[in-house]
Amino acid sequence: PRRDTVRLSVHDLRGRRVALLVDETLAAGRHALGWQADGLASGVYLVQIERGDQLIAPAPPETILHGGDRLHS
């Protein structure tokens, strides 16, 4: 299986990064993580996923968050 650098970050609607959830080299395959959005206002947040030098967009619908919810991908 191929390994690649993966970065997963959460942004508010103004484009400001509010969390960096993953920034590491991962093996190919499925991965899951949880994120508790304590301290963030309720609302819609967007996830940006990067693999190597490639920006993967748009993010899958299950990665659109509401403050206080958990992310499972």
Short mmCIF file of all heavy atoms in Angstrom, two decimals:
data_model
loop_
_atom_site.label_atom_id
_atom_site.label_comp_id
_atom_site.label_asym_id
_atom_site.label_seq_id
_atom_site.Cartn_x
_atom_site.Cartn_y
_atom_site.Cartn_z
N PRO A 1 0.82 -1.21 0.00
CA PRO A 1 0.00 0.00 0.00
C PRO A 1 0.86 1.26 0.00
O PRO A 1 1.91 1.30 0.60
CB PRO A 1 -0.81 -0.09 1.29
CG PRO A 1 -0.74 -1.52 1.71
CD PRO A 1 0.52 -2.08 1.11
N ARG A 2 0.37 2.25 -0.67
CA ARG A 2 1.07 3.52 -0.80
C ARG A 2 0.91 4.37 0.45
O ARG A 2 -0.16 4.45 1.04
CB ARG A 2 0.50 4.25 -2.01
CG ARG A 2 1.16 5.55 -2.31
CD ARG A 2 0.57 6.15 -3.55
NE ARG A 2 0.85 7.57 -3.56
CZ ARG A 2 0.24 8.45 -4.29
NH1 ARG A 2 -0.72 8.04 -5.09
NH2 ARG A 2 0.55 9.70 -4.26
N ARG A 3 1.97 5.04 0.86
CA ARG A 3 1.92 5.98 1.98
C ARG A 3 2.05 7.39 1.41
O ARG A 3 2.74 7.60 0.42
CB ARG A 3 3.06 5.72 2.96
CG ARG A 3 2.97 4.36 3.63
CD ARG A 3 4.14 4.12 4.54
NE ARG A 3 4.25 5.07 5.64
CZ ARG A 3 3.55 5.01 6.78
NH1 ARG A 3 2.68 4.05 6.96
NH2 ARG A 3 3.73 5.92 7.72
N ASP A 4 1.38 8.36 2.03
CA ASP A 4 1.46 9.73 1.56
C ASP A 4 1.21 10.67 2.73
O ASP A 4 0.59 10.29 3.72
CB ASP A 4 0.42 9.99 0.46
CG ASP A 4 0.91 10.98 -0.58
OD1 ASP A 4 1.83 11.78 -0.28
OD2 ASP A 4 0.39 10.95 -1.71
N THR A 5 1.68 11.88 2.59
CA THR A 5 1.44 12.91 3.60
C THR A 5 0.01 13.39 3.48
O THR A 5 -0.46 13.71 2.38
CB THR A 5 2.41 14.09 3.41
OG1 THR A 5 3.74 13.59 3.47
CG2 THR A 5 2.20 15.14 4.48
N VAL A 6 -0.69 13.43 4.60
CA VAL A 6 -2.09 13.85 4.63
C VAL A 6 -2.23 14.99 5.63
O VAL A 6 -1.67 14.94 6.72
CB VAL A 6 -3.01 12.68 5.05
CG1 VAL A 6 -4.45 13.14 5.19
CG2 VAL A 6 -2.90 11.54 4.04
N ARG A 7 -2.99 16.02 5.23
CA ARG A 7 -3.31 17.13 6.13
C ARG A 7 -4.82 17.32 6.09
O ARG A 7 -5.42 17.44 5.03
CB ARG A 7 -2.61 18.40 5.69
CG ARG A 7 -2.98 19.58 6.58
CD ARG A 7 -2.20 20.82 6.25
NE ARG A 7 -0.83 20.60 6.70
CZ ARG A 7 0.23 21.13 6.12
NH1 ARG A 7 0.10 21.88 5.06
NH2 ARG A 7 1.42 20.90 6.60
N LEU A 8 -5.44 17.33 7.26
CA LEU A 8 -6.88 17.52 7.40
C LEU A 8 -7.10 18.69 8.34
O LEU A 8 -6.70 18.63 9.51
CB LEU A 8 -7.53 16.25 7.96
CG LEU A 8 -9.02 16.30 8.25
CD1 LEU A 8 -9.81 16.44 6.96
CD2 LEU A 8 -9.46 15.05 8.99
N SER A 9 -7.68 19.76 7.83
CA SER A 9 -7.89 20.95 8.64
C SER A 9 -9.34 21.41 8.56
O SER A 9 -10.04 21.12 7.59
CB SER A 9 -6.95 22.07 8.21
OG SER A 9 -7.07 22.33 6.82
N VAL A 10 -9.78 22.10 9.60
CA VAL A 10 -11.15 22.61 9.70
C VAL A 10 -11.10 24.12 9.62
O VAL A 10 -10.25 24.76 10.27
CB VAL A 10 -11.80 22.17 11.03
CG1 VAL A 10 -13.23 22.67 11.11
CG2 VAL A 10 -11.76 20.65 11.18
N HIS A 11 -12.02 24.70 8.82
CA HIS A 11 -12.04 26.14 8.59
C HIS A 11 -13.43 26.71 8.84
O HIS A 11 -14.44 26.04 8.58
CB HIS A 11 -11.64 26.45 7.14
CG HIS A 11 -10.28 25.93 6.81
ND1 HIS A 11 -9.18 26.74 6.80
CD2 HIS A 11 -9.85 24.69 6.50
CE1 HIS A 11 -8.11 26.02 6.49
NE2 HIS A 11 -8.51 24.76 6.31
N ASP A 12 -13.46 27.95 9.31
CA ASP A 12 -14.76 28.62 9.41
C ASP A 12 -15.13 29.19 8.04
O ASP A 12 -14.35 29.07 7.09
CB ASP A 12 -14.77 29.68 10.52
CG ASP A 12 -13.83 30.86 10.26
OD1 ASP A 12 -13.37 31.07 9.11
OD2 ASP A 12 -13.55 31.58 11.23
N LEU A 13 -16.29 29.78 7.94
CA LEU A 13 -16.76 30.27 6.63
C LEU A 13 -15.99 31.49 6.13
O LEU A 13 -16.14 31.88 4.98
CB LEU A 13 -18.26 30.56 6.68
CG LEU A 13 -19.13 29.30 6.83
CD1 LEU A 13 -20.61 29.69 6.87
CD2 LEU A 13 -18.87 28.30 5.73
N ARG A 14 -15.17 32.09 6.97
CA ARG A 14 -14.30 33.19 6.53
C ARG A 14 -12.95 32.68 6.03
O ARG A 14 -12.10 33.46 5.65
CB ARG A 14 -14.09 34.18 7.67
CG ARG A 14 -15.35 34.91 8.02
CD ARG A 14 -15.09 35.95 9.07
NE ARG A 14 -16.33 36.67 9.35
CZ ARG A 14 -16.40 37.65 10.21
NH1 ARG A 14 -15.33 38.04 10.87
NH2 ARG A 14 -17.55 38.24 10.42
N GLY A 15 -12.78 31.36 6.07
CA GLY A 15 -11.55 30.77 5.58
C GLY A 15 -10.46 30.62 6.62
O GLY A 15 -9.37 30.15 6.30
N ARG A 16 -10.72 30.98 7.86
CA ARG A 16 -9.72 30.87 8.91
C ARG A 16 -9.64 29.43 9.40
O ARG A 16 -10.66 28.81 9.67
CB ARG A 16 -10.05 31.78 10.10
CG ARG A 16 -10.03 33.25 9.73
CD ARG A 16 -10.44 34.07 10.91
NE ARG A 16 -11.85 33.77 11.23
CZ ARG A 16 -12.66 34.58 11.86
NH1 ARG A 16 -12.23 35.74 12.30
NH2 ARG A 16 -13.91 34.23 12.11
N ARG A 17 -8.42 28.92 9.51
CA ARG A 17 -8.26 27.57 10.04
C ARG A 17 -8.51 27.60 11.54
O ARG A 17 -7.90 28.37 12.26
CB ARG A 17 -6.86 27.04 9.75
CG ARG A 17 -6.71 25.58 10.16
CD ARG A 17 -5.42 24.98 9.71
NE ARG A 17 -4.35 25.48 10.56
CZ ARG A 17 -3.07 25.30 10.31
NH1 ARG A 17 -2.69 24.67 9.23
NH2 ARG A 17 -2.16 25.77 11.13
N VAL A 18 -9.42 26.74 12.00
CA VAL A 18 -9.74 26.68 13.43
C VAL A 18 -9.18 25.42 14.08
O VAL A 18 -9.12 25.34 15.30
CB VAL A 18 -11.26 26.80 13.68
CG1 VAL A 18 -11.79 28.14 13.19
CG2 VAL A 18 -12.03 25.66 13.03
N ALA A 19 -8.77 24.44 13.27
CA ALA A 19 -8.18 23.21 13.82
C ALA A 19 -7.38 22.50 12.73
O ALA A 19 -7.77 22.50 11.57
CB ALA A 19 -9.26 22.28 14.35
N LEU A 20 -6.29 21.90 13.15
CA LEU A 20 -5.51 21.02 12.28
C LEU A 20 -5.61 19.63 12.91
O LEU A 20 -5.06 19.39 13.99
CB LEU A 20 -4.05 21.48 12.19
CG LEU A 20 -3.13 20.62 11.33
CD1 LEU A 20 -3.61 20.58 9.88
CD2 LEU A 20 -1.71 21.17 11.40
N LEU A 21 -6.36 18.73 12.28
CA LEU A 21 -6.65 17.43 12.87
C LEU A 21 -5.63 16.37 12.51
O LEU A 21 -5.36 15.47 13.31
CB LEU A 21 -8.04 16.97 12.44
CG LEU A 21 -9.19 17.94 12.74
CD1 LEU A 21 -10.51 17.35 12.27
CD2 LEU A 21 -9.24 18.28 14.22
N VAL A 22 -5.09 16.44 11.31
CA VAL A 22 -4.10 15.45 10.87
C VAL A 22 -3.05 16.20 10.06
O VAL A 22 -3.38 17.02 9.21
CB VAL A 22 -4.75 14.35 9.98
CG1 VAL A 22 -3.69 13.39 9.45
CG2 VAL A 22 -5.83 13.60 10.74
N ASP A 23 -1.79 15.89 10.32
CA ASP A 23 -0.67 16.40 9.54
C ASP A 23 0.46 15.39 9.67
O ASP A 23 1.38 15.57 10.46
CB ASP A 23 -0.24 17.78 10.03
CG ASP A 23 0.80 18.42 9.13
OD1 ASP A 23 1.06 17.89 8.03
OD2 ASP A 23 1.36 19.46 9.54
N GLU A 24 0.33 14.27 8.93
CA GLU A 24 1.29 13.19 9.06
C GLU A 24 1.25 12.28 7.84
O GLU A 24 0.36 12.38 7.01
CB GLU A 24 1.02 12.37 10.32
CG GLU A 24 -0.36 11.73 10.35
CD GLU A 24 -0.66 11.08 11.68
OE1 GLU A 24 -0.28 9.90 11.84
OE2 GLU A 24 -1.26 11.74 12.54
N THR A 25 2.20 11.38 7.77
CA THR A 25 2.23 10.38 6.69
C THR A 25 1.39 9.19 7.11
O THR A 25 1.57 8.65 8.20
CB THR A 25 3.68 9.95 6.41
OG1 THR A 25 4.43 11.11 6.03
CG2 THR A 25 3.74 8.93 5.29
N LEU A 26 0.45 8.81 6.24
CA LEU A 26 -0.46 7.70 6.52
C LEU A 26 -0.39 6.67 5.40
O LEU A 26 -0.14 7.01 4.24
CB LEU A 26 -1.90 8.21 6.62
CG LEU A 26 -2.21 9.20 7.73
CD1 LEU A 26 -3.65 9.70 7.60
CD2 LEU A 26 -1.98 8.57 9.09
N ALA A 27 -0.66 5.43 5.75
CA ALA A 27 -0.77 4.36 4.76
C ALA A 27 -2.10 4.49 4.03
O ALA A 27 -3.06 5.06 4.57
CB ALA A 27 -0.68 3.00 5.44
N ALA A 28 -2.16 3.97 2.83
CA ALA A 28 -3.42 3.97 2.08
C ALA A 28 -4.46 3.17 2.86
O ALA A 28 -4.12 2.24 3.59
CB ALA A 28 -3.20 3.35 0.70
N GLY A 29 -5.72 3.53 2.71
CA GLY A 29 -6.79 2.81 3.38
C GLY A 29 -7.73 3.75 4.10
O GLY A 29 -7.64 4.96 3.99
N ARG A 30 -8.64 3.15 4.88
CA ARG A 30 -9.63 3.93 5.63
C ARG A 30 -9.04 4.34 6.96
O ARG A 30 -8.33 3.57 7.60
CB ARG A 30 -10.89 3.11 5.87
CG ARG A 30 -11.57 2.71 4.59
CD ARG A 30 -12.85 1.95 4.87
NE ARG A 30 -13.85 2.55 4.01
CZ ARG A 30 -14.92 3.19 4.43
NH1 ARG A 30 -15.19 3.29 5.70
NH2 ARG A 30 -15.75 3.73 3.58
N HIS A 31 -9.40 5.56 7.37
CA HIS A 31 -8.95 6.09 8.66
C HIS A 31 -10.13 6.80 9.29
O HIS A 31 -10.98 7.35 8.60
CB HIS A 31 -7.79 7.07 8.47
CG HIS A 31 -6.60 6.44 7.84
ND1 HIS A 31 -5.65 5.77 8.56
CD2 HIS A 31 -6.20 6.37 6.55
CE1 HIS A 31 -4.72 5.32 7.75
NE2 HIS A 31 -5.04 5.67 6.51
N ALA A 32 -10.19 6.79 10.61
CA ALA A 32 -11.26 7.48 11.33
C ALA A 32 -10.64 8.31 12.45
O ALA A 32 -9.58 7.96 12.98
CB ALA A 32 -12.24 6.47 11.91
N LEU A 33 -11.31 9.40 12.78
CA LEU A 33 -10.86 10.22 13.90
C LEU A 33 -12.07 10.91 14.50
O LEU A 33 -13.12 11.02 13.87
CB LEU A 33 -9.81 11.23 13.46
CG LEU A 33 -10.22 12.26 12.41
CD1 LEU A 33 -10.68 13.54 13.08
CD2 LEU A 33 -9.06 12.55 11.50
N GLY A 34 -11.92 11.36 15.71
CA GLY A 34 -12.97 12.13 16.37
C GLY A 34 -12.46 13.51 16.68
O GLY A 34 -11.25 13.71 16.91
N TRP A 35 -13.33 14.47 16.64
CA TRP A 35 -12.96 15.84 16.95
C TRP A 35 -14.06 16.47 17.77
O TRP A 35 -15.21 16.52 17.35
CB TRP A 35 -12.73 16.64 15.67
CG TRP A 35 -12.44 18.09 15.90
CD1 TRP A 35 -11.47 18.61 16.70
CD2 TRP A 35 -13.13 19.21 15.34
NE1 TRP A 35 -11.50 19.98 16.66
CE2 TRP A 35 -12.51 20.37 15.83
CE3 TRP A 35 -14.20 19.33 14.47
CZ2 TRP A 35 -12.93 21.64 15.48
CZ3 TRP A 35 -14.61 20.60 14.12
CH2 TRP A 35 -13.99 21.74 14.61
N GLN A 36 -13.72 16.94 18.94
CA GLN A 36 -14.67 17.64 19.79
C GLN A 36 -14.45 19.13 19.58
O GLN A 36 -13.35 19.63 19.80
CB GLN A 36 -14.44 17.26 21.27
CG GLN A 36 -15.52 17.75 22.18
CD GLN A 36 -16.89 17.15 21.85
OE1 GLN A 36 -17.01 15.99 21.50
NE2 GLN A 36 -17.92 17.96 21.96
N ALA A 37 -15.46 19.83 19.14
CA ALA A 37 -15.34 21.24 18.76
C ALA A 37 -15.61 22.18 19.94
O ALA A 37 -16.17 23.25 19.76
CB ALA A 37 -16.29 21.54 17.61
N ASP A 38 -15.20 21.78 21.12
CA ASP A 38 -15.37 22.64 22.29
C ASP A 38 -14.73 24.00 22.05
O ASP A 38 -13.64 24.10 21.48
CB ASP A 38 -14.73 22.01 23.53
CG ASP A 38 -15.43 20.74 23.97
OD1 ASP A 38 -16.61 20.56 23.62
OD2 ASP A 38 -14.79 19.93 24.67
N GLY A 39 -15.40 25.03 22.48
CA GLY A 39 -14.85 26.38 22.36
C GLY A 39 -15.17 27.08 21.06
O GLY A 39 -14.85 28.25 20.90
N LEU A 40 -15.77 26.38 20.11
CA LEU A 40 -16.13 27.01 18.84
C LEU A 40 -17.62 27.34 18.85
O LEU A 40 -18.42 26.61 19.43
CB LEU A 40 -15.83 26.10 17.67
CG LEU A 40 -14.36 25.84 17.38
CD1 LEU A 40 -14.22 24.87 16.22
CD2 LEU A 40 -13.63 27.13 17.09
N ALA A 41 -17.96 28.42 18.18
CA ALA A 41 -19.36 28.81 18.06
C ALA A 41 -20.11 27.78 17.22
O ALA A 41 -19.53 27.15 16.33
CB ALA A 41 -19.47 30.18 17.41
N SER A 42 -21.38 27.60 17.50
CA SER A 42 -22.21 26.75 16.66
C SER A 42 -22.26 27.33 15.26
O SER A 42 -22.26 28.55 15.09
CB SER A 42 -23.63 26.64 17.22
OG SER A 42 -23.62 25.97 18.44
N GLY A 43 -22.30 26.48 14.26
CA GLY A 43 -22.35 26.95 12.89
C GLY A 43 -21.82 25.89 11.95
O GLY A 43 -21.64 24.74 12.31
N VAL A 44 -21.54 26.30 10.74
CA VAL A 44 -21.05 25.40 9.71
C VAL A 44 -19.55 25.59 9.58
O VAL A 44 -19.06 26.71 9.50
CB VAL A 44 -21.74 25.67 8.36
CG1 VAL A 44 -21.16 24.80 7.26
CG2 VAL A 44 -23.24 25.44 8.49
N TYR A 45 -18.83 24.48 9.54
CA TYR A 45 -17.39 24.49 9.36
C TYR A 45 -17.06 23.60 8.16
O TYR A 45 -17.76 22.64 7.88
CB TYR A 45 -16.69 23.98 10.62
CG TYR A 45 -16.86 24.94 11.77
CD1 TYR A 45 -17.99 24.90 12.57
CD2 TYR A 45 -15.92 25.91 12.00
CE1 TYR A 45 -18.17 25.80 13.60
CE2 TYR A 45 -16.08 26.82 13.03
CZ TYR A 45 -17.20 26.76 13.83
OH TYR A 45 -17.37 27.67 14.83
N LEU A 46 -16.01 23.95 7.46
CA LEU A 46 -15.60 23.21 6.26
C LEU A 46 -14.28 22.51 6.51
O LEU A 46 -13.41 23.03 7.21
CB LEU A 46 -15.47 24.16 5.08
CG LEU A 46 -16.71 25.01 4.78
CD1 LEU A 46 -16.42 26.02 3.70
CD2 LEU A 46 -17.87 24.12 4.40
N VAL A 47 -14.13 21.34 5.91
CA VAL A 47 -12.92 20.56 6.05
C VAL A 47 -12.12 20.64 4.76
O VAL A 47 -12.66 20.52 3.67
CB VAL A 47 -13.27 19.10 6.38
CG1 VAL A 47 -12.03 18.23 6.34
CG2 VAL A 47 -13.93 19.02 7.74
N GLN A 48 -10.83 20.85 4.91
CA GLN A 48 -9.92 20.82 3.76
C GLN A 48 -9.02 19.60 3.92
O GLN A 48 -8.42 19.39 4.97
CB GLN A 48 -9.08 22.09 3.72
CG GLN A 48 -8.08 22.11 2.59
CD GLN A 48 -7.38 23.44 2.51
OE1 GLN A 48 -8.02 24.45 2.30
NE2 GLN A 48 -6.09 23.43 2.70
N ILE A 49 -8.95 18.80 2.87
CA ILE A 49 -8.12 17.59 2.89
C ILE A 49 -7.05 17.73 1.82
O ILE A 49 -7.35 18.01 0.66
CB ILE A 49 -8.98 16.34 2.61
CG1 ILE A 49 -10.13 16.25 3.62
CG2 ILE A 49 -8.11 15.09 2.65
CD1 ILE A 49 -11.17 15.22 3.25
N GLU A 50 -5.80 17.54 2.22
CA GLU A 50 -4.68 17.58 1.29
C GLU A 50 -3.95 16.25 1.36
O GLU A 50 -3.74 15.71 2.44
CB GLU A 50 -3.72 18.69 1.65
CG GLU A 50 -4.33 20.08 1.59
CD GLU A 50 -3.40 21.11 2.17
OE1 GLU A 50 -2.38 21.42 1.51
OE2 GLU A 50 -3.67 21.57 3.29
N ARG A 51 -3.56 15.73 0.20
CA ARG A 51 -2.76 14.51 0.12
C ARG A 51 -1.55 14.85 -0.74
O ARG A 51 -1.69 15.16 -1.92
CB ARG A 51 -3.55 13.37 -0.50
CG ARG A 51 -2.76 12.06 -0.53
CD ARG A 51 -3.53 10.95 -1.21
NE ARG A 51 -3.65 11.29 -2.62
CZ ARG A 51 -4.72 11.00 -3.37
NH1 ARG A 51 -5.76 10.41 -2.85
NH2 ARG A 51 -4.74 11.33 -4.64
N GLY A 52 -0.38 14.79 -0.13
CA GLY A 52 0.82 15.21 -0.85
C GLY A 52 0.66 16.66 -1.24
O GLY A 52 0.34 17.51 -0.41
N ASP A 53 0.81 16.98 -2.50
CA ASP A 53 0.64 18.34 -3.00
C ASP A 53 -0.75 18.57 -3.58
O ASP A 53 -1.01 19.61 -4.18
CB ASP A 53 1.68 18.64 -4.09
CG ASP A 53 3.09 18.66 -3.54
OD1 ASP A 53 3.25 18.99 -2.35
OD2 ASP A 53 4.03 18.35 -4.29
N GLN A 54 -1.64 17.61 -3.43
CA GLN A 54 -2.97 17.67 -4.04
C GLN A 54 -4.03 18.09 -3.03
O GLN A 54 -4.15 17.49 -1.96
CB GLN A 54 -3.33 16.30 -4.62
CG GLN A 54 -4.68 16.25 -5.28
CD GLN A 54 -5.01 14.84 -5.76
OE1 GLN A 54 -4.33 13.87 -5.43
NE2 GLN A 54 -6.06 14.73 -6.54
N LEU A 55 -4.79 19.12 -3.36
CA LEU A 55 -5.94 19.53 -2.56
C LEU A 55 -7.13 18.71 -3.02
O LEU A 55 -7.48 18.68 -4.19
CB LEU A 55 -6.23 21.01 -2.75
CG LEU A 55 -7.45 21.57 -2.03
CD1 LEU A 55 -7.30 21.43 -0.53
CD2 LEU A 55 -7.66 23.02 -2.41
N ILE A 56 -7.74 17.98 -2.09
CA ILE A 56 -8.89 17.15 -2.41
C ILE A 56 -10.13 17.94 -2.05
O ILE A 56 -10.40 18.20 -0.88
CB ILE A 56 -8.85 15.82 -1.65
CG1 ILE A 56 -7.57 15.07 -2.01
CG2 ILE A 56 -10.08 14.98 -1.94
CD1 ILE A 56 -7.31 13.86 -1.16
N ALA A 57 -10.88 18.37 -3.05
CA ALA A 57 -12.06 19.20 -2.81
C ALA A 57 -13.09 18.90 -3.88
O ALA A 57 -12.73 18.55 -4.99
CB ALA A 57 -11.68 20.68 -2.85
N PRO A 58 -14.35 19.01 -3.64
CA PRO A 58 -14.89 19.36 -2.32
C PRO A 58 -14.79 18.19 -1.36
O PRO A 58 -14.70 17.04 -1.78
CB PRO A 58 -16.33 19.71 -2.61
CG PRO A 58 -16.68 18.87 -3.79
CD PRO A 58 -15.40 18.78 -4.62
N ALA A 59 -14.83 18.50 -0.08
CA ALA A 59 -14.81 17.46 0.94
C ALA A 59 -16.13 16.69 0.89
O ALA A 59 -17.16 17.25 0.54
CB ALA A 59 -14.62 18.09 2.32
N PRO A 60 -16.10 15.41 1.24
CA PRO A 60 -17.35 14.64 1.28
C PRO A 60 -18.35 15.26 2.24
O PRO A 60 -17.96 15.89 3.22
CB PRO A 60 -16.91 13.27 1.78
CG PRO A 60 -15.45 13.20 1.51
CD PRO A 60 -14.95 14.61 1.59
N PRO A 61 -19.65 15.12 2.00
CA PRO A 61 -20.66 15.76 2.84
C PRO A 61 -20.55 15.43 4.32
O PRO A 61 -20.83 16.27 5.16
CB PRO A 61 -21.99 15.24 2.27
CG PRO A 61 -21.67 14.79 0.89
CD PRO A 61 -20.23 14.38 0.90
N GLU A 62 -20.11 14.22 4.67
CA GLU A 62 -20.04 13.87 6.08
C GLU A 62 -18.96 14.63 6.83
O GLU A 62 -18.87 14.58 8.03
CB GLU A 62 -19.84 12.37 6.28
CG GLU A 62 -18.52 11.84 5.77
CD GLU A 62 -18.57 11.40 4.32
OE1 GLU A 62 -19.50 11.76 3.59
OE2 GLU A 62 -17.65 10.67 3.91
N THR A 63 -18.12 15.39 6.10
CA THR A 63 -17.08 16.15 6.77
C THR A 63 -17.47 17.61 6.98
O THR A 63 -16.66 18.40 7.42
CB THR A 63 -15.75 16.07 6.00
OG1 THR A 63 -15.93 16.62 4.71
CG2 THR A 63 -15.25 14.65 5.91
N ILE A 64 -18.70 17.99 6.67
CA ILE A 64 -19.18 19.33 6.98
C ILE A 64 -19.73 19.30 8.40
O ILE A 64 -20.58 18.50 8.73
CB ILE A 64 -20.25 19.80 5.98
CG1 ILE A 64 -19.61 19.90 4.58
CG2 ILE A 64 -20.83 21.14 6.40
CD1 ILE A 64 -20.57 20.25 3.50
N LEU A 65 -19.22 20.16 9.24
CA LEU A 65 -19.46 20.07 10.67
C LEU A 65 -20.32 21.20 11.19
O LEU A 65 -20.35 22.28 10.63
CB LEU A 65 -18.11 20.14 11.42
CG LEU A 65 -17.03 19.22 10.93
CD1 LEU A 65 -15.76 19.50 11.69
CD2 LEU A 65 -17.45 17.79 11.10
N HIS A 66 -20.96 20.94 12.29
CA HIS A 66 -21.65 21.96 13.07
C HIS A 66 -20.94 22.02 14.41
O HIS A 66 -20.60 20.99 14.98
CB HIS A 66 -23.13 21.60 13.25
CG HIS A 66 -23.86 21.53 11.96
ND1 HIS A 66 -24.34 22.65 11.34
CD2 HIS A 66 -24.14 20.50 11.14
CE1 HIS A 66 -24.91 22.30 10.20
NE2 HIS A 66 -24.80 21.00 10.06
N GLY A 67 -20.68 23.23 14.92
CA GLY A 67 -19.94 23.38 16.16
C GLY A 67 -20.46 22.45 17.25
O GLY A 67 -21.64 22.34 17.46
N GLY A 68 -19.54 21.77 17.92
CA GLY A 68 -19.90 20.85 18.97
C GLY A 68 -20.11 19.42 18.52
O GLY A 68 -20.15 18.52 19.34
N ASP A 69 -20.24 19.18 17.23
CA ASP A 69 -20.42 17.81 16.73
C ASP A 69 -19.07 17.14 16.54
O ASP A 69 -18.04 17.78 16.52
CB ASP A 69 -21.16 17.80 15.40
CG ASP A 69 -22.62 18.19 15.54
OD1 ASP A 69 -23.12 18.24 16.69
OD2 ASP A 69 -23.25 18.46 14.51
N ARG A 70 -19.10 15.84 16.34
CA ARG A 70 -17.87 15.08 16.08
C ARG A 70 -17.75 14.79 14.60
O ARG A 70 -18.74 14.60 13.92
CB ARG A 70 -17.89 13.76 16.85
CG ARG A 70 -17.73 13.93 18.32
CD ARG A 70 -17.76 12.57 19.00
NE ARG A 70 -17.49 12.72 20.40
CZ ARG A 70 -16.30 12.53 20.95
NH1 ARG A 70 -15.29 12.18 20.21
NH2 ARG A 70 -16.13 12.69 22.23
N LEU A 71 -16.53 14.74 14.15
CA LEU A 71 -16.22 14.40 12.76
C LEU A 71 -15.86 12.93 12.70
O LEU A 71 -15.05 12.44 13.46
CB LEU A 71 -15.02 15.22 12.27
CG LEU A 71 -14.37 14.76 10.98
CD1 LEU A 71 -15.30 15.03 9.81
CD2 LEU A 71 -13.06 15.47 10.77
N HIS A 72 -16.49 12.18 11.82
CA HIS A 72 -16.14 10.79 11.56
C HIS A 72 -16.03 10.64 10.06
O HIS A 72 -16.96 10.93 9.33
CB HIS A 72 -17.20 9.84 12.10
CG HIS A 72 -17.33 9.91 13.58
ND1 HIS A 72 -16.39 9.36 14.42
CD2 HIS A 72 -18.25 10.48 14.37
CE1 HIS A 72 -16.75 9.59 15.67
NE2 HIS A 72 -17.87 10.26 15.66
N SER A 73 -14.85 10.24 9.60
CA SER A 73 -14.68 10.05 8.16
C SER A 73 -14.06 8.70 7.88
O SER A 73 -13.64 8.00 8.76
CB SER A 73 -13.81 11.15 7.59
OG SER A 73 -12.55 11.19 8.21
#
